[in-house]
Amino acid sequence: FRSVRGNSYTETSLIQGQSGLYEGQRLGSEDAGRAIRNLFKMGLFGDVKIFVDSDVVGGVAVEIVVIEYPQLGTVKFDGNKALKDKKLKRELGFIKAQMIKPQQMKRATNKLVELYKDKGYLLAKVEVEPESYDDDGYIPLTFTIDEGRKVNLKKIRFHGDDEFKNSQLRKQMKETKQDGWWFGGGKYKEEDYEIDKESLLAFYRQNGYREADVVSDSLSYGPNKRDMYLDITIDKGPLYRFGKVSWLGNEKLTDLGVASLVVVDSGGVYSEERLFKTEEQLKNAYMDIGYIGAQIFPNEKERDDHVVDLHFDVIENDPWKIRKILITGN
């Protein structure tokens, strides 16, 4: 026979059935381990143990002991001033009496920290500790918040480049902004900065520096922990130029027609933007004459003297035709 101990809100019959053990079964060495794995798969228990008592007439007695994850009681916040309880609760989305796991509490603290970061409180810290069971058998949670001071991105400083002005480089960063009288306090968010960093490198590639890279970046704080400084070190690499520009595979568009769409100048400063623009214009030209499936493959070949030859392989494929014209709503 089987007995179950430790459960308060999980039905005993459900635990017995999920274990896979049944009365009259010949118990093998692997059956207890399999039963434990089956019960853990339910996602309801922090611990499962199975005890087998062989000192029973006519067989063995099996006892299943579980420790259920607690059910959530009230959620409280301590130390928050910049953000109200209502907003924090809405962000977490917890529901009373839901099962609460340790990993859920960890994710909740991370979510609150990110929420504060979005508001400029980059030094905010959040901790949570479950309290004792309340009279209804639920576990209340209290999130203790140290908001810290709101941090202002005072200055973005660039290093390693003497060609472009700092103001010109900062302009490429759409979301990451240093403090300035024309738009107020500085803005910094890690996810936005990663996007802005790619925009910054795209600017270099548009201006001939196809190997440009951010070799290091770091954040530092002023003495009062209120001002923050972002230092970005760039290795722009050598300046590249376009060399020979060629194409192959075009039949429906003449060479003269293709040449009119190529915005890459032989001998001009390398520009990734011009390369993409040429590819886009060729595709659009083929679409205009019904070759919607036409494909354009640009290939770059670098020379030793930092010159890049550019070749476009054109695969026109078959033209598309209109099968039906349907009009509705008239």
Side-chain angles (χ1 to χ4, degrees):
F1 59 89
R2 298 156 295 157
S3 61
V4 177
R5 183 160 54 90
N7 57 312
S8 59
Y9 59 83
T10 309
E11 292 290 339
T12 297
S13 59
L14 179 62
I15 295 174
Q16 291 174 329
Q18 184 68 23
S19 72
L21 301 175
Y22 57 90
E23 292 185 12
Q25 170 185 0
R26 184 177 294 276
L27 198 64
S29 58
E30 294 296 324
D31 291 329
R34 187 181 302 111
I36 290 174
R37 290 192 295 272
N38 289 342
L39 291 171
F40 269 122
K41 287 178 183 177
M42 297 176 71
L44 300 175
F45 311 117
D47 194 17
V48 177
K49 291 184 172 67
I50 291 182
F51 298 95
V52 178
D53 183 5
S54 58
D55 191 19
V56 177
V57 177
V60 295
V62 176
E63 183 181 41
I64 301 172
V65 180
V66 298
I67 298 179
E68 294 173 318
Y69 289 120
Q71 290 178 288
L72 180 63
T74 57
V75 176
K76 296 182 291 186
F77 304 93
D78 182 37
N80 56 308
K81 296 179 181 178
L83 298 175
K84 302 299 182 184
D85 288 7
K86 185 177 180 181
K87 182 173 181 60
L88 299 179
K89 286 182 179 179
R90 186 169 62 247
E91 185 71 19
L92 295 181
F94 283 148
I95 302 173
K96 187 175 182 180
Q98 76 171 75
M99 181 184 64
I100 187 76
K101 301 179 182 179
Q103 54 266 40
Q104 289 176 298
M105 290 188 280
K106 179 62 177 176
R107 284 196 295 266
T109 58
N110 291 341
K111 186 177 288 188
L112 293 179
V113 168
E114 288 302 314
L115 185 62
Y116 270 98
K117 283 184 177 181
D118 289 345
K119 298 296 183 181
Y121 292 85
L122 303 182
L123 303 177
K125 298 177 182 178
V126 180
E127 295 181 352
V128 61
E129 287 293 337
E131 301 176 18
S132 301
Y133 285 93
D134 61 21
D135 295 339
D136 297 322
Y138 299 147
I139 288 284
L141 289 183
T142 297
F143 290 87
T144 303
I145 300 170
D146 179 6
E147 294 180 334
R149 286 187 172 185
K150 190 171 184 178
V151 179
N152 176 45
L153 182 55
K154 188 70 174 178
K155 197 81 173 176
I156 302 174
R157 302 178 291 208
F158 295 93
H159 310 277
D161 181 14
D162 54 3
E163 180 170 350
F164 299 108
K165 294 180 179 180
N166 280 6
S167 58
Q168 195 173 4
L169 298 178
R170 285 195 294 267
K171 190 177 179 181
Q172 310 309 315
M173 307 175 76
K174 304 303 181 185
E175 297 297 330
T176 308
K177 300 291 185 181
Q178 72 175 28
D179 194 4
W181 61 268
W182 60 93
F183 60 79
K187 293 167 55 183
Y188 177 85
K189 186 179 177 183
E190 188 174 351
E191 306 92 273
D192 291 338
Y193 169 61
E194 291 301 320
I195 297 172
D196 283 342
K197 190 161 58 173
E198 286 304 312
S199 300
L200 179 64
L201 294 177
F203 168 76
Y204 275 95
R205 292 192 292 269
Q206 291 167 16
N207 288 276
Y209 296 98
R210 64 197 292 262
E211 295 180 357
D213 192 22
V214 174
V215 294
S216 68
D217 49 6
S218 62
L219 291 171
S220 58
Y221 297 92
N224 59 2
K225 295 287 185 180
R226 191 180 185 91
D227 294 329
M228 184 172 67
Y229 301 87
L230 174 59
D231 289 274
I232 304 173
T233 302
I234 298 171
D235 179 5
K236 65 179 184 292
L239 179 68
Y240 281 82
R241 295 185 177 276
F242 283 119
K244 181 182 177 182
V245 182
S246 59
W247 51 86
L248 185 66
N250 56 300
E251 294 181 3
K252 299 303 177 181
L253 289 181
T254 65
D255 285 347
L256 188 60
V258 172
S260 67
L261 299 170
V262 173
V263 294
V264 172
D265 299 323
S266 181
V269 172
Y270 176 90
S271 169
E272 189 179 64
E273 184 180 36
R274 285 180 172 271
L275 188 157
F276 293 154
K277 182 66 174 178
T278 299
E279 181 183 359
E280 180 186 13
Q281 292 194 159
L282 288 172
K283 285 182 177 179
N284 290 340
Y286 272 105
M287 289 180 68
D288 289 343
I289 59 174
Y291 286 79
I292 298 175
Q295 296 175 290
I296 313 296
F297 297 99
N299 297 292
E300 300 180 48
K301 186 176 181 181
E302 182 183 337
R303 299 186 202 164
D304 293 337
D305 51 355
H306 301 128
V307 172
V308 178
D309 291 332
L310 188 59
H311 177 77
F312 293 94
D313 282 317
V314 179
I315 301 177
E316 294 180 336
N317 293 316
D318 294 329
W320 289 36
K321 295 181 180 181
I322 296 174
R323 182 180 179 184
K324 286 184 179 181
I325 299 176
L326 304 177
I327 301 173
T328 61
N330 55 309

